[in-house]
Amino acid sequence: MWGGRFAAGPSAIMREINASIPFDKALWRHDIAASQAHVAMLGARGIVAADDARAIAAGLAQIAAEYEADGVPEDWDLEDIHMTTESRLAALIGPVAGRLHTARSRNDQVAADFRMWVRDASRAADAALAAFQTVLVERADEHAATIMPGFTHLQTAQPVTLGHHLMAYYEMAGRDRSRFGAALARMDECPLGAAALAGTGFPIDRHAVAAALGFAAPTANSLDSVSDRDFALDYLAAAAQCALHLSRLAEELILWASQPFGFAVLPDDLSTGSSIMPQKKNPDAAELVRGHSGRIVGALMSLMMTMKGLPLAYSKDMQDDKPPVFEAASLLDLSLAAMTAMIAGTTFRADRMRAAAEAGYATATDLADWLVREGGIPFREAHHITGAAVKLAESRGTALDQVALADLQAIDPRIDARVFAALSVDASVAARTSYGGTAPGEVRKRVAAARQALGMTE
């Protein structure tokens, strides 16, 4: 390929460190699509004779069929997917294959191929997130009124509903989709035609190539075109944030499935056993999702460090851009599939959730609110009164709504019998009717809006 400049071929070490075909063969569909668009443009512009353009297009189609059937061969002497395909094309149609590389470089070629691959990965992530949201909405609808303890600092805070809790992850997934959508909008420009770094003197039509490959427009600066990997970093940033959300949900499912909580029974087909303890049912799928998040964040850090000090335009360091993206995409796809299946298949123990909500003085804030609302007491004073009531209930080992009225009035005489209507977990949840609150009616409103947004049938 570049032997005319060199007296000797590369050493074995150079051959090994330079070859990217073991991983960039994943780009073969995009490489052939880009080559087809490029040669069609060369033929239309008269840069390559029509007969030669047709021969090249037919050869590329044959190679695509071969790769589809048998995979991409790995010849490290050919370095990468681009030269592997060009070499095979020459074997099929002869020297005319060399005309394909007119007015382009491997620099803009790989930038276009990789951008198209990342575009597909972003669309796949969005589709997987939509499926994940659909399952969350279905289960939230089912459990719109299922009471559970809400936590802060992993301590019982206030009663909420399971539906409300699940819809929190629906919102997170929506933000994840917006990030992938924004990344797709920014990467919607085609770098092909920028050549090595300076553009080309051939009368090419970059707009036609961009349109043929499904891009809105060509990139506007040839130096930036071959230097840019923002699209890959955008994908990894969105993937990392998404993985963090999945990891948080995985952690909650792990806790809920543990015997001390007992809130959930995870699906058998997403759990494993122990080699020594027959009673164990381990939440391994959830734990692996939690673990994968670290690898996905690591992929983002890896590419950021690769790109942080590179001058314009192309440097060979950028060959290392693809492995972290490929790994992150594979892990994210698997994590989304696992969490979608886990939410769909988990059995939630409403009885255990309710008992936990009732046991943790979760309605203490409702007592304080009642004192403010019915007694006209400033909230800070109401907070102090409520704290004394909780301390009394705790010392007697009883629930807050089981403390005798006389005992509550001994703490503050402004408390009357009406307070007990506010102290049950049902009353507490029902009272949270502010927009975005946990009241079952509010949860069902949010579920209905989500169903409409996702195009789900009732």
Side-chain angles (χ1 to χ4, degrees), residues 310-335:
L310 296 185
L312 299 179
Y314 182 83
S315 299
K316 198 68 170 183
D317 313 47
M318 293 165 70
Q319 183 166 287
D320 284 340
D321 57 0
K322 286 168 281 296
V325 176
F326 292 166
E327 180 186 24
S330 177
L331 292 172
L332 183 65
D333 289 349
L334 191 56
S335 295

Side-chain angles (χ1 to χ4, degrees), residues 96-398:
V96 72
R99 299 190 184 281
L100 173 60
H101 209 53
T102 305
R104 77 173 184 186
S105 162
R106 282 194 298 175
N107 293 355
D108 63 334
Q109 190 178 358
V110 70
D113 293 355
F114 192 26
R115 190 177 289 231
M116 287 190 288
W117 192 98
V118 173
R119 181 176 63 180
D120 287 350
S122 299
R123 290 169 176 167
D126 180 72
L129 279 162
F132 178 52
Q133 286 184 302
T134 298
V135 169
L136 287 168
V137 169
E138 289 172 344
R139 298 311 305 271
D141 197 8
E142 179 185 348
H143 291 284
T146 299
I147 292 174
M148 66 175 292
F151 299 98
T152 62
H153 308 278
L154 205 56
Q155 303 292 310
T156 299
Q158 293 177 318
V160 296
T161 67
L162 175 57
H164 191 57
H165 195 111
L166 294 174
M167 287 301 290
Y169 285 98
Y170 167 85
E171 298 295 336
M172 294 183 206
R175 294 194 295 273
D176 292 329
R177 293 184 68 185
S178 74
R179 276 182 278 271
F180 284 112
L184 279 164
R186 281 192 293 271
M187 70 178 75
D188 198 18
E189 296 179 341
C190 181
L192 205 59
L197 76 162
T200 178
F202 289 97
I204 61 173
D205 185 348
R206 292 192 63 206
H207 289 83
V209 172
L213 294 175
F215 289 100
T219 49
N221 182 284
S222 60
L223 277 169
D224 180 54
S225 300
V226 299
S227 305
D228 172 40
R229 292 299 183 269
D230 287 3
F231 62 90
L233 289 168
D234 279 350
Y235 171 82
L236 288 176
Q241 183 64 73
C242 180
L244 294 181
H245 289 155
L246 295 177
S247 180
R248 295 180 73 178
L249 178 55
E251 170 65 8
E252 294 200 304
L253 289 175
I254 291 163
L255 286 172
W256 293 355
S258 67
Q259 283 73 28
F261 275 80
F263 290 0
V265 179
L266 300 184
D268 284 354
D269 60 356
L270 290 168
S271 305
T272 65
S274 165
S275 64
I276 189 172
M277 295 169 284
Q279 84 281 9
K280 292 294 294 297
K281 181 178 178 181
N282 298 327
D284 283 8
E287 290 173 350
L288 287 166
V289 169
R290 187 176 60 184
H292 288 349
S293 65
R295 294 170 64 187
I296 293 171
V297 172
L300 171 61
M301 296 299 104
S302 173
L303 185 53
M304 291 179 76
M305 291 303 97
T306 296
M307 298 301 299
K308 72 175 179 61
L310 296 185
L312 299 179
Y314 182 83
S315 299
K316 198 68 170 183
D317 313 47
M318 293 165 70
Q319 183 166 287
D320 284 340
D321 57 0
K322 286 168 281 296
V325 176
F326 292 166
E327 180 186 24
S330 177
L331 292 172
L332 183 65
D333 289 349
L334 191 56
S335 295
L336 280 165
M339 292 308 296
T340 300
M342 211 171 306
I343 292 299
T346 292
T347 300
F348 294 105
R349 296 279 309 278
D351 57 335
R352 291 291 296 266
M353 290 182 171
R354 184 183 183 90
E358 291 175 336
Y361 305 104
T363 60
T365 305
D366 297 276
L367 173 55
D369 287 349
W370 185 90
L371 289 166
V372 170
R373 189 170 55 249
E374 302 297 333
I377 300 171
F379 182 81
R380 284 301 168 204
E381 183 182 353
H383 186 286
H384 182 79
I385 295 167
T386 301
V390 169
K391 184 177 181 180
L392 175 64
E394 191 173 38
S395 70
R396 295 181 177 179
T398 187

Side-chain angles (χ1 to χ4, degrees), residues 1 31 59-60 63 66-67 73 75 77-95 97-98 100 104 109:
M1 174 182 57
D31 192 62
L60 289 170
I63 294 169
E66 292 173 359
Y67 289 172
D75 182 344
D77 286 331
L78 295 172
E79 295 185 14
D80 56 31
I81 184 59
H82 321 299
M83 296 313 301
T84 296
T85 298
E86 188 171 326
S87 175
R88 178 58 181 152
L89 185 63
L92 289 174
I93 67 173
L100 173 60
R104 77 173 184 186
Q109 190 178 358

Side-chain angles (χ1 to χ4, degrees), residues 15-16 18-26 72-76 79-81 84 319 323 326:
R15 176 177 173 272
E16 184 169 352
N18 197 44
S20 59
I21 187 64
F23 55 84
D24 70 18
K25 63 184 180 182
V72 180
E74 288 189 25
D75 182 344
W76 287 21
E79 295 185 14
D80 56 31
I81 184 59
T84 296
Q319 183 166 287
F326 292 166

